[in-house]
């Protein structure tokens, strides 16, 4: 895999912060036990700015807006905003099936059971809230806006799964990959060819983030869709609408 130049990913930068459009398949932080060869967003950031600190995380497969602080004061300020739930995050997801979510609040506690896995637990879970709004309907899928209030691991993914609306391609939570043969009529695969999914990951993108860069100024940074997400939507528009 070819690694991007950090400078090419920047959406916003000032003296205190950098916001980038994280590509899919790169971990936010170094993955434990993977050896030191695996590149991470934090490592890429440090090639650009020595003192860069990552302010939150996105799952390895998730693309989109990610904030780095350039100095300890900025890191502290943004960490406090996350802690007090002042950072507004908007994600876009393509989900299995047609679902009409009209500002639906899913309020189900999440328990981290270790090894990169979570479950819903009303007894032991930590509070987790996500709002969902359907944006566009297809025959077999829906494009949904997800606004997490809390920031639990896999929150959007598991909350959608509880609505029988798993993210397309999210096999951990029973989401099916999208194949062209499912949406395109008279689709023929050549002999001995194996059909690959349109997207090689689950269809989740951190579309927008809003936070304060100082007490007076709030910014909203929008992260354009990466190529794979855009291609999926184009094909759904063409063959599944």
């Amino acid at each position: 895999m070819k690694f991007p130049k950090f400078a090419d990913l920047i959406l916003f930068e000032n003296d205190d912060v950098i916001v980038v459009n994280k590509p899919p398949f790169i971990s936010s932080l170094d993955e434990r036990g993977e050896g030191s060869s695996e590149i991470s967003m934090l490592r890429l950031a440090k090639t650009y700015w020595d003192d860069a600190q990552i302010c939150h995380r996105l799952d390895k497969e998730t693309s989109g807006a990610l904030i780095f602080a350039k100095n300890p004061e900025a890191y502290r300020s943004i960490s406090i905003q996350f802690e007090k739930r002042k950072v507004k995050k908007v994600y876009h997801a393509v989900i299995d099936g047609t679902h009409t979510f009209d500002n639906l609040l899913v309020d189900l506690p999440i328990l981290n059971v270790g090894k990169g896995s979570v479950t819903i637990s009303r007894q032991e879970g930590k509070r987790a809230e996500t709002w969902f709004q359907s944006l566009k309907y297809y025959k077999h899928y829906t494009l949904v806006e997800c606004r997490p209030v809390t920031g639990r691991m896999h929150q959007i993914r598991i909350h959608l799964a509880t609505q029988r609306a798993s993210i397309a391609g999210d096999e951990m939570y029973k989401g099916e990959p999208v194949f062209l043969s499912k949406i395109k009529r008279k689709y023929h695969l050549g002999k001995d060819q194996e059909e690959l999914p349109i997207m090689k990951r689950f269809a989740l993108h951190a579309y927008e983030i809003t936070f304060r860069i100082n007490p007076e100024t709030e910014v909203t940074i929008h992260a354009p869709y990466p190529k794979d997400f855009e291609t999926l939507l184009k094909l759904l528009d063409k063959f599944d609408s």
Side-chain angles (χ1 to χ4, degrees), residues 162-192:
T162 66
Q163 306 305 302
R164 299 199 173 153
S166 297
I167 297 175
D170 192 359
E171 289 170 6
M172 184 179 244
Y173 298 105
K174 299 190 169 61
E176 302 277 327
V178 186
F179 290 98
L180 196 53
S181 57
K182 183 177 172 181
I183 59 172
K184 187 180 177 184
R185 273 198 201 141
K186 296 181 180 160
Y187 175 81
H188 293 299
L189 199 61
K191 194 171 175 272
D192 301 330

Side-chain angles (χ1 to χ4, degrees), residues 52 63 85 89 181 222:
S63 52
R85 302 191 181 138
K89 295 166 285 182
S181 57
H222 161 68

Side-chain angles (χ1 to χ4, degrees), residues 2-20:
K2 198 164 144 279
F3 290 110
K5 274 172 68 180
F6 189 81
D8 295 341
L9 305 174
I10 295 172
L11 299 168
F12 173 86
E13 181 179 8
N14 67 6
D15 292 343
D16 297 311
V17 298
I18 307 166
V19 183
V20 297

Side-chain angles (χ1 to χ4, degrees), residues 82-101:
F82 269 106
E83 225 170 274
K84 294 188 170 172
R85 302 191 181 138
K86 299 280 190 218
V87 180
K88 296 190 204 75
K89 295 166 285 182
V90 176
Y91 290 74
H92 283 186
V94 175
I95 57 173
D96 290 341
T98 304
H99 299 271
T100 311
F101 296 145

Side-chain angles (χ1 to χ4, degrees), residues 212-232:
R212 291 201 171 275
I213 46 171
N214 58 47
E216 296 79 50
T217 318
E218 188 176 75
V219 291
T220 296
I221 312 298
H222 161 68
Y225 294 145
K227 210 170 178 177
D228 61 352
F229 202 97
E230 208 176 325
T231 300
L232 175 62

Side-chain angles (χ1 to χ4, degrees), residues 1-6 9 20-31 37-45 54 57-64 66 68 201:
M1 165 173 177
K2 198 164 144 279
F3 290 110
K5 274 172 68 180
F6 189 81
L9 305 174
V20 297
N21 194 353
K22 173 192 166 308
F25 308 115
I26 301 179
S27 301
S28 295
L29 295 160
D30 288 354
E31 292 180 318
S37 60
E38 184 89 359
I39 193 86
S40 67
M41 288 306 298
L42 183 57
R43 278 189 194 211
L44 281 177
I54 196 163
R57 292 180 207 187
L58 293 175
D59 288 343
K60 188 173 182 174
E61 287 186 34
T62 305
S63 52
L66 188 62
F68 291 88
R201 61 177 177 116

